[in-house]
Amino acid sequence: MDIDVLIKLSVLVILMAAGIWYLFRGSLLFLLWMILFALDLIYLFFVIIANISAVHVIIPLMILIGLLFWANKMEKKG
């Protein structure tokens, strides 16, 4: 495969990704929020199950509160 064809294909992929992002940007942000929220809840669950000290629970709780505020801000925007 020539470098010329590789460059053209990579530019096409970048343009298509930008177009998809522009088309679905609101729903992609919501999907990103849902994924981050689920990962944080899973992490918090494992921290609680592992019986780690309360100090280790503070950071996932702060992230969870930040995600909830972000979701609230997104809801007011839309």
Side-chain angles (χ1 to χ4, degrees), residues 3-71:
I3 191 73
D4 184 42
V5 174
L6 189 62
I7 291 172
K8 288 178 184 177
L9 285 176
S10 62
V11 168
L12 180 65
V13 167
I14 291 171
L15 288 175
M16 287 182 68
I20 291 171
W21 172 258
Y22 181 75
L23 188 61
F24 298 111
R25 65 183 179 265
S27 56
L28 286 176
L29 279 176
F30 184 69
L31 182 65
L32 175 68
W33 177 83
M34 286 185 2
I35 291 170
L36 290 175
F37 190 78
L39 287 175
D40 190 54
L41 282 179
I42 292 169
Y43 178 71
L44 184 62
F45 175 73
F46 283 118
V47 166
I48 290 172
I49 293 298
N51 289 328
I52 299 176
S53 66
V55 175
H56 294 98
V57 177
I58 293 173
I59 293 176
L61 286 176
M62 288 173 52
I63 293 171
L64 196 61
I65 291 170
L67 286 171
L68 289 174
F69 278 122
W70 182 33

